[in-house]
Amino acid sequence: MTTTDLTTMSGLELMRWVQTERPTDIPSVGRLLGMRFDEVDHGRIVISLDTRPDFANPLGTVHGGIAATLLDTAMGCAVHTTLAAGTAYTTLELKVNYIRAARPDGQTLITEGAVIHTGRRIATAEGKVLDDQGKLIAHATTTCMIL
């Protein structure tokens, strides 16, 4: 188990710690899906993952929930990078627009989340998922409540 006190880190410090340390002893949807934190900046996160057959829906394409999870993670983590140590948040609303299907055959999906606004109680962000050819798979917006 990690001995690092995560509550003492700002959101940006915590996201950079996750990016560099890739902790395996903390439960994480990112680890479950194989997410990689490629870029971590104040108000912006880039996450990628490689699709796999387990992500398929009955039609043989990547289930929309994978894109939604990528978007929720990237946008939420982007919001987190703007928060002070010990400050939490939760998603209040997630609006996803699906543009095209992704393949479950190892295709790399790249997701960017960027903050639009961070206030005292509410933050908003936008995100997009691109395939490895730069084609738009989905885009989204979110509203987060700062706790």
Side-chain angles (χ1 to χ4, degrees), residues 50-107:
D50 299 323
T51 64
R52 56 186 195 244
D54 290 344
F55 295 173
N57 61 31
L59 300 174
T61 60
V62 172
H63 189 282
I66 298 297
T69 301
L70 277 167
L71 287 159
D72 189 37
T73 301
M75 294 184 299
C77 288
V79 166
H80 198 168
T81 66
T82 67
L83 302 180
T87 305
Y89 70 95
T90 191
T91 300
L92 282 177
E93 180 265 343
L94 175 67
K95 167 68 171 90
V96 180
N97 293 286
Y98 297 96
I99 305 304
R100 68 176 39 88
R103 299 183 325 269
D105 62 357
Q107 181 179 43

Side-chain angles (χ1 to χ4, degrees), residues 22 30 34-39 46-50 108-109:
R22 300 187 65 131
M35 292 181 192
R36 298 177 296 271
F37 283 69
D38 300 326
E39 298 178 38
V46 177
I47 296 172
S48 63
L49 64 68
D50 299 323
T108 300
L109 300 180

Side-chain angles (χ1 to χ4, degrees), residues 108-111 128-138:
T108 300
L109 300 180
I110 302 108
T111 306
K128 59 186 174 183
V129 178
L130 305 175
D131 69 13
D132 46 16
Q133 303 301 307
K135 291 184 178 178
L136 185 64
I137 300 294

